[in-house]
Amino acid sequence: NLASCFTYVYILNLVCSPSTVQAHLGQDVVLSCRVEPPSDLTNETLEWTNGTEDVHVGGDNYDDQDLRFKNRTILNHQNLKDGNVSLTLTNVKKEDEGTYTLCLPNHDICFIVTLIVGKLLNSEGGLTKVEAAVILDSNVLKLFCFLKHLNPPEQQADPFF
C-alpha cells in the first residue's frame, strides 16, 4: 500500500508575545506563549526554565521545580488543548527578573522571554503614575504608556540661563 510509505510531518512554531514582559513587585505576570498551528499539547513535555533553574516542567510535576518558584507558577491545563503554554508567575520578586526559556523537547523548539521587574508605581513619595492609551491602527492594537510625575521635585535654577 503506497499510502503507508508516507509519514505525516507536523511542524509547530512557538510564538511568545511580547518577547519582553514588564512586571511590578508583588503582582502576577503572564509569560504568554502558544504553538501555531494550534495543537493539543496535553500529553507533551514542556519546560519553562530561568537559566539553569526549573521554573515549571511538565504538567503538575513539581518535584524538579527550583525552590524559588515553589507554589508560584500556574500553567492552565485546559489551555494546553489549544496549544496555549502560557505561564503565570505569582507574587513577582526582583530576583525573578531575567531570561525565561520555554522548550518543547519533542518538537525541538524553544523560545526566550525576558522578564523585567520594577517597583509598583503609585502616587506616594513623588513616584510616577502610568496612564495608558490603546489605539487600533490598521488592525494592529498598540498600547502607549505615558508617565507623569505626581510630585515634581523642586525646580532648581538652570545655571546656563
Side-chain angles (χ1 to χ4, degrees):
N1 182 349
L2 185 59
S4 64
C5 293
F6 294 98
T7 303
Y8 180 68
V9 177
Y10 194 57
I11 297 175
L12 294 178
N13 290 312
L14 195 50
V15 179
C16 297
S17 178
S19 59
T20 300
V21 178
Q22 294 181 325
H24 299 296
L25 292 173
Q27 293 189 330
D28 299 348
V29 66
V30 177
L31 305 180
S32 181
C33 293
R34 69 183 190 286
V35 293
E36 291 290 335
S39 305
D40 186 351
L41 299 176
T42 51
N43 295 318
E44 295 287 335
T45 300
L46 61 102
E47 302 168 348
W48 274 100
T49 57
N50 175 249
T52 58
E53 300 168 349
D54 289 332
V55 178
H56 197 107
V57 177
D60 289 323
N61 179 7
Y62 298 100
D63 294 340
D64 295 328
Q65 187 177 37
D66 189 89
L67 289 176
R68 201 175 101 206
F69 299 102
K70 279 281 189 208
N71 301 316
R72 295 182 48 231
T73 60
I74 301 166
L75 186 71
N76 189 330
H77 298 284
Q78 286 294 107
N79 291 345
L80 290 175
K81 291 186 294 186
D82 301 320
N84 184 336
V85 288
S86 298
L87 181 76
T88 300
L89 181 59
T90 62
N91 191 23
V92 172
K93 303 174 186 320
K94 184 64 177 170
E95 306 83 59
D96 295 334
E97 188 169 82
T99 301
Y100 289 77
T101 304
L102 168 62
C103 289
L104 300 173
N106 295 345
H107 298 278
D108 293 324
I109 55 175
C110 294
F111 200 95
I112 294 173
V113 178
T114 302
L115 177 62
I116 298 171
V117 179
K119 291 181 181 177
L120 180 61
L121 305 177
N122 62 35
S123 60
E124 296 179 17
L127 294 178
T128 304
K129 175 182 175 184
V130 176
E131 293 183 356
V134 178
I135 299 172
L136 190 59
D137 178 28
S138 301
N139 296 326
V140 176
L141 185 65
K142 297 179 181 179
L143 177 64
F144 296 94
C145 293
F146 304 94
L147 300 178
K148 288 185 178 179
H149 203 279
L150 296 177
N151 297 320
E154 294 287 326
Q155 291 290 342
Q156 295 181 355
D158 191 337
F160 298 107
F161 292 104

